[in-house]
Amino acid sequence: MKLLYKILLWNIVIVAVCLGIGGYSFINFVFQTSLERETKQALDESSILQFAFETAALNIPSRYDVLQDTTIEEIGYSLERGGQNNGTRMLHISDEQQETLYLGDGFEVDEEFLVQIPNDSKIYQLREIQGRYYIHTGCKMKALDRVLYLETLKDITLIYEERKEGFAVYRRVIFFVLLCATIVMYLICRWLTKPIRLLTMATRKMSEGDYGYRARVMSNDEMGQLTTDFNLMANALEDNIALLEDEIRTREEFIGAFAHELKTPLTAIIGYADMLRSRKLDEEKAFVSANYIFTEGKRLEAMAFRLLDIIVTKRLEIEKQRVDTKKIFSYLRELYGGYSQIKVMCQYEPAVVLAESDLLKSVLINLVDNACKASQEGGKVEILGRKQKNGYLFAVKDYGMGIAEEEYDKIINAFYMVDKSRSRSKNGAGLGLALCVEILKLHDSHLRIESKLGEGSCFSFVIPWKEVNGNETEPES
Ligand code: ADP
């Protein structure tokens, strides 16, 4: 059953029970009050009749002061019809032996009640006779020499009928009130449960793949808060899904590029190897073929190591140490000092940076290698180290071929090469910068590329640093 109908049903049940109990109690209260009033009236009337009877008995002349049975009957008759009696009062008068002396029309004698009448007080009971209701009172009275029983029956059917009529009217009122309440409550419940319906719709849409769908916030209450939170959760979910999709796409591209990069050298290796085993080649051709197999094999090996580096780096958690920049630059100077075609110069300010020494060297070597590859013979490459407010800046600058601006984002992707044949001829596989990016991520840093086609490039990044004594600027090496 829907929540809306559950709330509605419970409301109707509660309202119906409350109205039923309330109405029943009220009508019964009115009835009891009327009954008490009628009972008091009946007892008062009984006293008045007793007094009237005793007075009448005294005033009727009789022989030897004896009250005759016929006289009692006459008085009873006149009392029953006298006063304001409109047929709702009946009398029964009986003697000491409870023998009837006067019996009003329709009075049904109750022997048990008669014997219970005490000497000095009145008693009463409620009776139903032939579908009508009465208050039956009884008392003892003394008139001249006689002790008599006086009983009255007062018709109170009217108040029972009034109660019955009251219940019937109230039933109709309850029905009407419930009908109106049901309509009003239905509209209120629909309005209150609207945010739930909107949320349900949003979850359904999202489960069908529409991650951009959001539920409308309708109020500032708890439901509004829930909807806002749901939308926030949906935003986070959408972002995560976009990220995952992006990652899947990147991986697919990576695998595609990897397969392609493997295929090219392997095809050449297989081709040359086949030629070597199936034909008898002269010495020079055999050397060229073997050399090709060797260089392509070396390239594949380098690629495999780089790939391994990237994968390991992605999973790595580094422990940063204090690294003296002097040591780094000395190492680079030694490494590239023997280059004859390209001049590699180091210029730096000494400082201590927080980094993983080998990984930092790896980044710089990759960048310097790329710079050398991009430079003409006789060109120069600068490796710079500068202290800045936000950290220590490393920059590798060349005056070579440069990169077009639209390539900036692409060259950091694995296997991407601007000029494939040129890169391959220089043992490139498009993995160097991808590795640099991963290593810099571990150092909470990123690679900055500035370049102009035909003018050269500058690859830089910033690492946290600490001051050491004195500044040092190295001349060209
Ligand atoms: P590779 O192993 O091919 O050098 P990288 O990821 O290091 O792979 O570089 C990707 C591509 O970016 C290179 O193929 C090259 O085209 C371009 N590139 C990198 N550094 C430079 C540079 N200093 N000047 C010009 N092009 C560069």
Side-chain angles (χ1 to χ4, degrees):
M1 191 193 253
K2 278 186 173 178
L3 179 68
L4 167 75
Y5 297 119
K6 276 187 194 166
I7 299 173
L8 192 63
L9 192 73
W10 275 109
N11 271 320
I12 292 169
V13 169
I14 291 168
V15 171
V17 169
C18 290
L19 281 178
I21 292 174
Y24 177 82
S25 306
F26 178 72
I27 292 172
N28 243 15
F29 171 76
V30 172
F31 169 74
Q32 286 299 335
T33 312
S34 304
L35 193 63
E36 277 169 25
R37 193 186 60 237
E38 291 293 330
T39 306
K40 192 169 171 298
Q41 245 177 37
L43 290 171
D44 288 349
E45 273 175 25
S46 170
S47 299
I48 292 167
L49 286 170
Q50 182 188 353
F51 178 73
F53 186 92
E54 285 167 359
T55 313
L58 284 176
N59 289 337
I60 288 174
S62 56
R63 221 180 285 161
Y64 316 117
D65 280 348
V66 173
L67 195 57
Q68 302 292 321
D69 287 354
T70 48
T71 314
I72 293 168
E73 196 181 347
E74 273 171 30
I75 298 172
Y77 182 81
S78 65
L79 284 179
E80 194 179 70
R81 275 156 186 72
Q84 292 162 348
N85 189 11
N86 48 7
T88 59
R89 185 173 67 210
M90 289 174 265
L91 292 185
H92 177 219
I93 301 171
S94 39
D95 62 11
E96 296 85 336
Q97 286 76 42
Q98 284 136 19
E99 291 294 332
T100 299
L101 299 175
Y102 174 76
L103 185 67
D105 271 350
F107 198 114
E108 263 186 30
V109 178
D110 182 352
E111 304 282 350
E112 281 178 28
F113 181 75
L114 195 56
V115 295
Q116 287 171 20
I117 296 174
N119 284 332
D120 46 3
S121 64
K122 293 184 177 56
I123 58 168
Y124 76 92
Q125 67 171 357
L126 295 175
R127 287 183 68 190
E128 187 189 346
I129 302 167
Q130 292 166 4
R132 297 193 72 80
Y133 297 91
Y134 297 91
I135 296 175
H136 185 180
T137 69
C139 65
K140 266 187 184 172
M141 59 183 178
K142 275 192 185 146
L144 296 177
D145 59 330
R146 311 278 304 258
V147 174
L148 301 168
Y149 292 97
L150 173 66
E151 291 169 79
T152 63
L153 268 186
K154 182 173 166 58
D155 194 340
I156 52 161
T157 308
L158 193 65
I159 61 169
Y160 276 88
E161 278 171 358
E162 273 172 4
R163 180 171 74 160
K164 204 170 151 197
E165 181 65 15
F167 279 138
V169 170
Y170 195 67
R171 267 197 299 276
R172 285 195 289 274
V173 170
I174 283 187
F175 176 75
F176 181 72
V177 169
L178 275 183
L179 193 73
C180 295
T182 305
I183 295 168
V184 173
M185 279 187 294
Y186 175 76
L187 294 174
I188 292 174
C189 289
R190 262 194 83 80
W191 176 68
L192 282 177
T193 53
K194 188 163 185 187
I196 299 176
R197 282 199 303 283
L198 291 177
L199 268 181
T200 312
M201 165 113 93
T203 48
R204 202 167 298 149
K205 287 258 183 199
M206 285 184 73
S207 67
E208 285 164 5
D210 184 358
Y211 299 113
Y213 191 87
R214 296 288 175 273
R216 186 152 50 93
V217 180
M218 294 195 40
S219 57
N220 289 328
D221 57 10
E222 288 89 337
M223 284 312 299
Q225 190 55 49
L226 180 66
T227 312
T228 311
D229 291 347
F230 176 85
N231 286 343
L232 285 177
M233 187 193 75
N235 286 346
L237 207 67
E238 196 183 9
D239 289 350
N240 281 341
I241 287 170
L243 265 178
L244 282 175
E245 282 174 353
D246 217 38
E247 191 142 309
I248 290 169
R249 206 177 316 113
T250 314
R251 279 192 187 185
E252 279 173 358
E253 281 169 13
F254 182 88
I255 291 167
F258 178 57
H260 184 258
E261 284 306 308
L262 270 185
K263 217 177 91 191
T264 322
L266 278 177
T267 314
I269 289 171
I270 292 166
Y272 279 107
D274 191 37
M275 209 156 76
L276 276 176
R277 69 170 192 166
S278 56
R279 272 187 254 161
K280 232 187 166 349
L281 299 173
D282 58 50
E283 208 170 302
E284 195 193 333
K285 274 189 180 164
F287 174 78
V288 170
S289 303
N291 190 46
Y292 201 91
I293 291 171
F294 177 78
T295 46
E296 284 302 292
K298 271 289 188 200
R299 211 165 71 78
L300 273 182
E301 186 192 37
M303 192 169 83
F305 283 137
R306 278 268 169 80
L307 260 180
L308 212 62
D309 282 348
I310 292 178
I311 291 165
V312 170
T313 311
K314 277 195 183 200
R315 293 188 187 155
L316 214 62
E317 270 196 25
I318 56 161
E319 221 177 273
K320 290 182 200 160
Q321 310 130 6
R322 294 156 64 89
V323 181
D324 191 346
T325 52
K326 195 174 173 184
K327 281 188 183 164
I328 300 274
F329 280 91
S330 304
Y331 169 80
L332 290 172
R333 212 171 48 212
E334 247 171 57
L335 196 66
Y336 293 102
Y339 260 43
S340 53
Q341 303 101 325
I342 293 155
K343 279 185 186 170
V344 180
M345 297 180 296
C346 295
Q347 228 184 8
Y348 71 99
E349 290 170 330
V352 171
V353 292
L354 286 174
E356 214 289 335
S357 176
D358 289 338
L359 293 179
L360 183 59
K361 281 179 194 164
S362 179
V363 174
L364 288 164
I365 290 169
N366 269 300
L367 296 181
V368 177
D369 277 352
N370 280 349
C372 291
K373 282 187 219 166
S375 301
Q376 305 270 349
E377 222 172 279
K380 68 169 178 179
V381 170
E382 291 164 6
I383 313 172
L384 307 169
R386 291 262 177 280
K387 287 189 281 191
Q388 289 187 341
K389 270 188 192 162
N390 58 338
Y392 195 88
L393 173 90
F394 288 93
V396 177
K397 215 169 171 183
D398 69 69
Y399 300 90
M401 60 205 286
I403 310 160
E405 207 176 326
E406 62 270 18
E407 304 279 0
Y408 287 9
D409 289 340
K410 297 179 195 162
I411 56 172
I412 54 168
N413 291 336
F415 300 111
Y416 189 83
M417 292 164 265
V418 178
D419 183 344
K420 284 189 195 287
S421 56
R422 195 185 145 90
S423 288
R424 279 194 195 120
S425 69
K426 297 194 173 187
N427 268 350
L431 292 171
L433 290 181
L435 178 63
C436 292
V437 168
E438 290 304 325
I439 293 174
L440 290 177
K441 260 189 213 166
L442 291 174
H443 289 82
D444 303 317
S445 182
H446 68 276
L447 193 64
R448 194 162 165 225
I449 305 169
E450 290 160 283
S451 184
K452 242 186 179 176
L453 259 183
E455 290 183 19
S457 320
C458 179
F459 286 75
S460 59
F461 58 93
V462 174
I463 300 266
W465 68 282
K466 284 198 167 195
E467 182 94 51
V468 289
N469 295 338
N471 280 8
E472 189 186 334
T473 307
E474 284 241 333
E476 295 173 7
S477 63

